[in-house]
Amino acid sequence: MCGIFCSLHVGCCGHTGNIDGEPNNTVYHELSERLKVANAARGPDAQGTHHVRVQRICSGEAQAPSPSNTCSPAIDLEFFASELRLRGDAPIVQPHQQDGDVFCWNGEVFEGLNVNASENDGAKLFQSIHTLSTMDDLPFLLGRIEGPYAFVYYHAESQKLYFARDPLGRRSLLIHKPSVFNPYFLLASVSVGDDQGYVMEELPTEGIFCLDVGQLCESKEVTQHFDSNLTCIPRQIDRRNLPFAKLNRVNTALPPDVPPLVPSLDSEILPRDLAIAVDHLIDHLDNSVMLRVRNIPRRTSSSEKGRAQVAVLFSGGIDSTMLAFLAHRHVPLDEPIDLLNVAFQNPRKIQVQTDGNIGAIPKREKKRQLKAAEINGVLKESTSYMVPDRVTGLQEVEEFKRICPGRTWNFVEVDVPYEESQAARAAVETIMFPGRTVMDLSLAMALYFASKGVGRLRISEATDDYQPYTSTARVLLNGLGSDELLGGYGRHRTAYATRGWQGVIDELQLELDRIPTRNLGRDDRVISSHGKETRHPFLSLTVVSFLAGLPVHLKLDPRLELGLGDKMLLRLAARKVGLLEASTRKKKAMQFGSHSARMEPGEAEKRGDLMIRTVSEP
């Protein structure tokens, strides 16, 4: 995991100014420094900066600039990268550099590139790109590697800047294009929040972008000609076998007229094609987890020995439980696995649980009473962190103890008081930007505190004794993707009710199409702010390809009740590996299972897609 930042700033004949030649140094340089600080938090192990000046020769004689000279601008490129060392034996300081080429890499290569345990995948990939006979082959190289990534690569010979995210957008990369008011180009893993100095957007994932920096030097009106020098190279430009160049389409085959029903998860005799699919899912998911938990460099500090290197964002639901169980297969038995379980003190929930809404008290009066209760300490006394995810998490740990002998499971109870969550809100809003909806905030708050990993462990269940605990794990497994790929949302059931199996197929394709634009960039920015890396075994492109290719009726069956028909294939797989309790649990969205959503009285009516009002706004 890394934080990467790249800027392009233009002056004339070596005099740095803004893109159109007017002084704008102060705004640009202050913003640049703030962005480097923000991106340094993602990689606490090392940081590095490299500058490149790209300049064309003036068309007139070499002399002091004057209005009569037709001088081309000089372009200053700055590359910054921070490093969280999770691959290889030796520390790596980015940016990578050789023969004028510069590479900033934020990602992991899990398949398609021969990287042994002692090597760094970013350094290995840099050499592979640097030795290409032509940069036209870059799409073919990237199309053969699997893993989450975002990168920036400057090719000195052609004076071109290449940048992209992986096809699923599992790593964040934000872009600001130069404008009249903000005349510079920026790429950054994370921003500094809503700011007048830029218009930040998520970089699209449909291709590899190429900016012809040399051509920009030919024009004084660089702002005006920026877009004409920016191209998007398709990931798959011919019929070559590029397994990871793009997402596979969902299988459009309709099931038989009346597919056989699976009466229960205990069915010993499944239809042959379903039984085969269960085995293949276990194999694919097991391999995906193995690739994501092996060969994590061990830190040598004596205080870190015997501490967890892998954690799971853990609700006790079927997704996180399956990942934790498979991690158990591949993490050394003498190494604990941290299960990060977050619960929020939610005043609205507490009030409803304590008082209900007797007499239909108006919202304004309820809010006044809540404030008074908070001041008088009543909330603190009545706080319960036994939210739905805490209950299911504790239940699942007991199942783990039965079926995973010898493993130490650190069930980390991350309890978030209301005052603490509100104090962190401004920081969370900054990190998740440009995400700005109510749902963005609810999910980001849960991920922010869970990934921070500061909580407590139960010493004795009998006496409810605890000890403080902070997770040392830098790799966090996340179950995101299973609902989209396996039909775990209520809307899949609704699609079947209104349009039959064809409606379910269409909905699954829509889910796959929008995965790159929904949660992943935001989640990466939030979790990485603590110097942690999230890994998504369900979103391995190998797993995605397998699940997309399965006939729809092998993945889910909306005819069956909740807890059986939704994500049916995963439930059968969990049952087969021995996760009996987890296999029947019903889905609960993270923001509701942790109580991070709708904390204030009156928030129940707010839709998730509404824009938030930032804490600094009146």
Side-chain angles (χ1 to χ4, degrees):
M1 169 59 63
C2 306
I4 59 180
F5 167 65
C6 173
S7 67
L8 181 153
H9 194 224
V10 182
C12 184
C13 292
H15 295 280
T16 304
N18 75 3
I19 279 186
D20 294 314
E22 295 178 4
N24 200 28
N25 287 331
T26 301
V27 171
Y28 164 73
H29 287 296
E30 288 182 354
L31 179 59
S32 174
E33 291 305 310
R34 291 162 58 209
L35 285 166
K36 283 187 280 189
V37 170
N39 283 276
R42 296 169 58 94
D45 294 334
Q47 297 88 38
T49 303
H50 183 70
H51 294 266
V52 173
R53 167 155 289 195
V54 183
Q55 189 168 1
R56 296 288 187 178
I57 300 174
C58 293
S59 58
E61 296 294 329
Q63 54 183 304
S66 73
S68 62
N69 290 138
T70 57
C71 294
S72 299
I75 291 183
D76 290 319
L77 290 169
E78 182 176 20
F79 300 89
F80 170 86
S82 61
E83 181 83 12
L84 178 71
R85 191 170 78 87
L86 293 173
R87 301 292 287 269
D89 290 342
I92 295 293
V93 179
Q94 292 200 67
H96 304 280
Q97 305 162 46
Q98 187 172 342
D99 301 328
D101 289 3
V102 185
F103 185 46
C104 294
W105 169 251
N106 172 29
E108 304 283 353
V109 178
F110 293 121
E111 299 178 65
L113 186 67
N114 185 21
V115 184
N116 64 44
S118 64
E119 293 179 309
N120 178 274
D121 59 333
K124 196 76 177 283
L125 182 59
F126 176 52
Q127 287 304 311
S128 297
I129 300 175
H130 183 69
T131 55
L132 289 174
S133 58
T134 170
M135 287 300 288
D136 291 341
D137 290 335
L138 182 60
F140 306 122
L141 174 61
L142 295 177
R144 293 190 178 95
I145 66 171
E146 198 313 275
Y149 64 77
F151 74 87
V152 180
Y153 189 98
Y154 177 67
H155 186 241
E157 182 180 356
S158 65
Q159 296 183 317
K160 290 182 178 179
L161 188 72
Y162 296 85
F163 50 97
R165 301 164 71 199
D166 71 80
L168 272 172
R170 290 166 287 183
R171 289 290 175 263
S172 171
L173 191 59
L174 305 177
I175 181 172
H176 162 77
K177 295 182 180 180
S179 64
V180 173
F181 295 107
N182 300 308
Y184 34 77
F185 172 63
L186 304 173
L187 292 167
S189 298
V190 64
S191 74
V192 291
D194 194 6
D195 193 278
Q196 294 182 348
Y198 51 56
V199 178
M200 282 289 198
E201 299 175 322
E202 296 264 15
L203 183 73
T205 60
E206 67 261 22
I208 302 162
F209 292 88
C210 176
L211 179 64
D212 193 331
V213 181
Q215 284 298 315
L216 283 179
C217 285
E218 298 289 351
S219 172
K220 282 186 167 183
E221 303 294 330
V222 179
T223 302
Q224 181 180 343
H225 294 95
F226 181 87
D227 285 336
S228 63
N229 285 290
L230 180 65
T231 57
C232 183
I233 304 167
R235 293 183 183 273
Q236 185 133 13
I237 57 181
D238 63 15
R239 296 178 180 270
R240 291 192 223 183
N241 181 27
L242 301 175
F244 306 120
K246 61 180 182 179
L247 303 181
N248 285 13
R249 303 288 295 176
V250 169
N251 190 326
T252 59
L254 291 171
D257 290 340
V258 183
L261 288 169
V262 176
S264 76
L265 297 175
D266 291 317
S267 299
E268 295 183 1
I269 302 177
L270 295 174
R272 183 173 181 275
D273 53 354
L274 182 55
I276 292 172
V278 169
D279 289 339
H280 286 174
L281 174 59
I282 294 171
D283 290 343
H284 278 295
L285 201 54
D286 182 72
N287 186 64
S288 180
V289 171
M290 180 270 291
L291 292 172
R292 285 157 176 78
V293 301
R294 69 175 182 177
N295 298 331
I296 300 171
R298 288 179 176 269
R299 283 168 283 175
T300 57
S301 170
S302 59
S303 64
E304 301 297 335
K305 291 180 179 179
R307 304 294 293 273
Q309 299 226 83
V310 173
V312 183
L313 296 173
F314 190 74
S315 66
I318 185 172
D319 308 331
S320 59
T321 297
M322 190 70 170
L323 296 185
F325 174 80
L326 294 176
H328 164 69
R329 291 181 170 183
H330 302 289
V331 172
L333 195 58
D334 62 352
E335 184 178 299
I337 295 176
D338 287 349
L339 306 175
L340 305 176
N341 183 276
V342 65
F344 284 78
Q345 179 190 29
N346 187 316
R348 190 181 65 86
K349 290 284 187 181
I350 293 171
Q351 185 180 45
V352 170
Q353 292 167 1
T354 304
D355 303 330
N357 193 21
I358 300 172
I361 302 171
K363 295 176 188 175
R364 183 173 296 180
E365 176 61 18
K366 284 196 295 184
K367 192 168 185 178
R368 187 196 66 76
Q369 292 179 6
L370 181 67
K371 188 66 176 177
E374 180 183 339
I375 293 171
N376 294 326
V378 176
L379 280 183
K380 292 181 181 179
E381 296 173 6
S382 62
T383 295
S384 171
Y385 291 106
M386 291 301 288
V387 300
D389 283 356
R390 178 64 48 81
V391 173
T392 54
L394 288 168
Q395 291 170 348
E396 195 50 48
V397 169
E398 292 305 309
E399 183 167 46
F400 280 160
K401 290 177 181 178
R402 293 193 297 271
I403 66 175
C404 303
R407 169 71 63 192
T408 297
W409 300 98
N410 289 330
F411 186 75
V412 186
E413 300 185 30
V414 180
D415 298 337
V416 186
Y418 175 70
E419 295 88 348
E420 186 176 351
S421 66
Q422 294 309 293
R425 177 172 167 170
V428 173
E429 288 180 4
T430 295
I431 297 164
M432 75 181 194
F433 186 84
R436 293 211 45 193
T437 68
V438 170
M439 182 175 290
D440 283 327
L441 182 60
S442 296
L443 293 170
M445 291 288 276
L447 289 172
Y448 179 82
F449 284 100
S451 59
K452 191 175 182 181
V454 178
R456 58 183 185 170
L457 301 179
R458 293 182 183 233
I459 301 174
S460 168
E461 295 180 12
T463 60
D464 276 344
D465 289 336
Y466 293 89
Q467 66 180 20
Y469 182 82
T470 299
S471 175
T472 56
R474 291 174 142 193
V475 170
L476 276 54
L477 299 184
N478 189 331
L480 188 68
S482 69
D483 290 300
E484 290 82 357
L485 296 167
L486 286 154
Y489 291 122
R491 53 182 174 266
H492 298 117
R493 192 172 293 267
T494 301
Y496 178 80
T498 56
R499 292 176 286 135
W501 287 107
Q502 185 60 57
V504 179
I505 292 171
D506 293 342
E507 192 67 35
L508 288 172
Q509 185 60 60
L510 180 60
E511 300 281 8
L512 189 56
D513 290 341
R514 62 189 179 189
I515 279 178
T517 61
R518 298 196 77 187
N519 299 347
L520 290 165
R522 177 203 64 213
D523 294 356
D524 175 61
R525 292 190 292 277
V526 171
I527 292 172
S528 298
S529 67
H530 299 301
K532 310 286 182 73
E533 176 172 288
T534 182
R535 296 181 178 177
H536 305 91
F538 283 102
L539 292 179
S540 155
L541 290 179
T542 301
V543 174
V544 171
S545 177
F546 163 69
L547 290 175
L550 283 178
V552 62
H553 66 287
L554 299 183
K555 293 182 278 193
L556 71 156
D557 193 337
R559 300 171 298 172
L560 301 174
E561 66 269 19
L562 288 174
L564 176 59
D566 50 314
K567 295 190 287 192
M568 179 183 67
L569 183 65
L570 182 60
R571 295 184 184 280
L572 290 167
R575 199 77 166 189
K576 184 161 187 175
V577 300
L579 297 169
L580 305 184
E581 293 184 30
S583 65
T584 61
R585 289 205 179 99
K586 297 178 182 179
K587 175 178 175 55
K588 197 163 197 69
M590 176 169 52
Q591 67 271 35
F592 302 123
S594 67
H595 284 183
S596 66
R598 302 171 181 169
M599 291 202 181
E600 298 286 356
E603 280 197 310
E605 295 78 16
K606 288 186 178 180
R607 300 197 321 270
D609 59 352
L610 290 177
M611 302 301 288
I612 61 171
R613 171 177 287 182
T614 64
V615 292
S616 60
E617 291 177 355

